[in-house]
Amino acid sequence: MLHITNLSKSYGHRKIIDNVTFSIPSAGIFVVRGDNGHGKTTLFKCLAGLERFNGNVRWLDTDPDGQIAAAFDDSEVHGRLTGLQNLSILLDISPKEVSAVPVVKQFMSDDLLRRRSSSYSLGQRRKLKLAAAFATARPCILLDEPASGLDAAGRRALRRSLESVAAKKCVIISDHEDSSYQDLVSSEFTIRQGKVHRQLNSKQESDE
């Protein structure tokens, strides 16, 4: 379980995340919804250890370092390297091993893997980052608006990948609209003006 306790983040005098406390189970698909500018990406970067913050984040009873994988728009892709070489570095496995990973094949064609990533479109770069996130052995995955910029094939690959890990990994998605994977979502949270709230859907209400 991912435990977030009294997490706050400010830039100067502007408070982006305001003392939030909540927990997310160790397996399932979870969505954090909110309009742009309300702190979704900042929250995710705090959870991924990419931003300093006040408060505490724990994965089960341990430090989350090395437990969380993430795919962000601005995460680094080396343009001079091919997609295959980028994934080899990100996953710390050989290029031959990368080529054999099923989820990589779902997102990336052989042609795309062989090309330098400097030639990639926005959607192709997103596919590379999603392939890396799903191929990792880490038990928790953060996806920042993963469907944005994806073509139809990419959206299908995203859904299949979510289906394949829903029972064994914790996947947390930031989004601001309903999407093609909505029926896979276990719980939803909203973020507004720095506060995070859990939402109940009709299925959860009937269960409780």
Side-chain angles (χ1 to χ4, degrees):
M1 184 170 281
L2 185 66
H3 299 282
I4 298 99
T5 307
N6 299 329
L7 193 155
S8 293
K9 174 64 182 179
S10 299
Y11 294 112
H13 296 293
R14 185 187 175 202
K15 182 163 283 189
I16 308 299
I17 309 296
D18 188 7
N19 195 39
V20 300
T21 296
F22 63 102
S23 296
I24 297 180
S26 301
I29 311 298
F30 309 93
V31 173
V32 179
R33 298 197 189 280
D35 294 335
N36 291 336
H38 279 259
K40 299 190 303 295
T41 299
T42 299
L43 173 64
F44 274 36
K45 287 192 172 183
C46 290
L47 299 182
L50 301 177
E51 292 277 4
R52 293 184 178 181
F53 59 88
N54 293 319
N56 189 44
V57 175
R58 303 285 286 175
W59 174 257
L60 301 177
D61 293 323
T62 67
D63 190 289
D65 184 41
Q67 305 298 316
I68 297 175
F72 293 100
D73 267 349
D74 59 356
S75 51
E76 186 174 3
V77 172
H78 296 284
R80 292 186 177 182
L81 301 182
T82 65
L84 189 63
Q85 290 168 328
N86 269 286
L87 288 169
S88 177
I89 292 170
L90 290 168
L91 299 173
D92 195 24
I93 58 178
S94 71
K96 184 177 180 180
E97 289 174 304
V98 170
S99 299
V101 177
V103 72
V104 171
K105 295 180 179 180
Q106 287 186 21
F107 283 103
M108 309 282 289
S109 67
D110 289 339
D111 174 68
L112 197 57
L113 285 170
R114 288 193 297 266
R115 284 168 44 195
R116 287 190 179 185
S117 57
S118 58
S119 70
Y120 285 6
S121 67
L122 175 62
Q124 290 167 339
R125 284 174 176 254
R126 188 176 294 277
K127 286 180 181 181
L128 187 150
K129 296 170 188 177
L130 289 172
F134 280 109
T136 182
R138 297 183 181 190
C140 184
I141 301 173
L142 306 179
L143 304 177
D144 190 23
E145 298 194 10
S148 177
L150 288 182
D151 57 15
R155 288 173 181 263
R156 288 193 296 270
L158 172 60
R159 181 181 173 87
R160 288 195 297 268
S161 299
L162 289 171
E163 289 173 339
S164 70
V165 301
K168 55 189 176 184
K169 290 194 177 189
C170 171
V171 183
I172 311 172
I173 301 170
S174 76
D175 210 337
H176 62 273
E177 59 186 15
D178 289 340
S179 55
S180 59
Y181 49 77
Q182 179 61 31
D183 59 308
L184 304 176
V185 174
S186 304
S187 296
E188 290 188 21
F189 299 80
T190 59
I191 184 167
R192 184 177 297 110
Q193 296 181 340
K195 294 291 189 181
V196 176
H197 304 277
R198 180 172 179 262
Q199 302 297 300
L200 286 179
N201 58 35
S202 57
K203 178 181 182 299
Q204 290 167 325
E205 289 172 343
S206 63
D207 291 343
E208 295 179 6

